[in-house]
Amino acid sequence: MDFNASLRKAVKTGTVFLGQNKTRECIEEGKAKLVVVAANSPESVKNLVKEIDIPVYVYEGSSVQLGKACGMPYVVSALAVIEPGESDILNAARV
């Protein structure tokens, strides 16, 4: 599975919220099916995902690289996948 391709497809065809604040809201509301965090995410984000029962995928690149993988021209330290759309991204949590 090519995670970057799956992520980009999820962003285009599914429901994905980018950013640590939106990710936190999705977790608190119980909407997130998968949370992706960049390896260099702030400690507040890393502590948040330690406390949840939602699958978490740690993206091995930086938040700049995660933003590019999403097809966005800005930094993304965390994102929440609500609906995967045509993507198989939810399989990433099982790796």
Side-chain angles (χ1 to χ4, degrees), residues 1-16:
M1 174 182 142
D2 180 3
F3 183 80
N4 287 351
S6 296
L7 177 60
R8 188 163 297 189
K9 187 175 269 190
V11 170
K12 286 184 179 180
T13 65
T15 305
V16 178

Side-chain angles (χ1 to χ4, degrees), residues 39-95:
N40 68 336
S41 292
E43 285 301 315
S44 61
V45 175
K46 291 179 181 177
N47 290 336
L48 173 69
V49 298
K50 287 179 184 176
E51 303 167 4
I52 62 174
D53 292 329
I54 301 165
V56 175
Y57 181 88
V58 178
Y59 187 78
E60 294 187 18
S62 69
S63 53
V64 171
Q65 292 168 320
L66 181 56
K68 286 181 182 178
C70 293
M72 303 298 165
Y74 47 82
V75 173
V76 176
S77 60
L79 62 90
V81 177
I82 309 304
E83 291 297 328
E86 298 172 9
S87 173
D88 63 347
I89 193 150
L90 296 181
N91 293 334
R94 298 184 187 105
V95 174

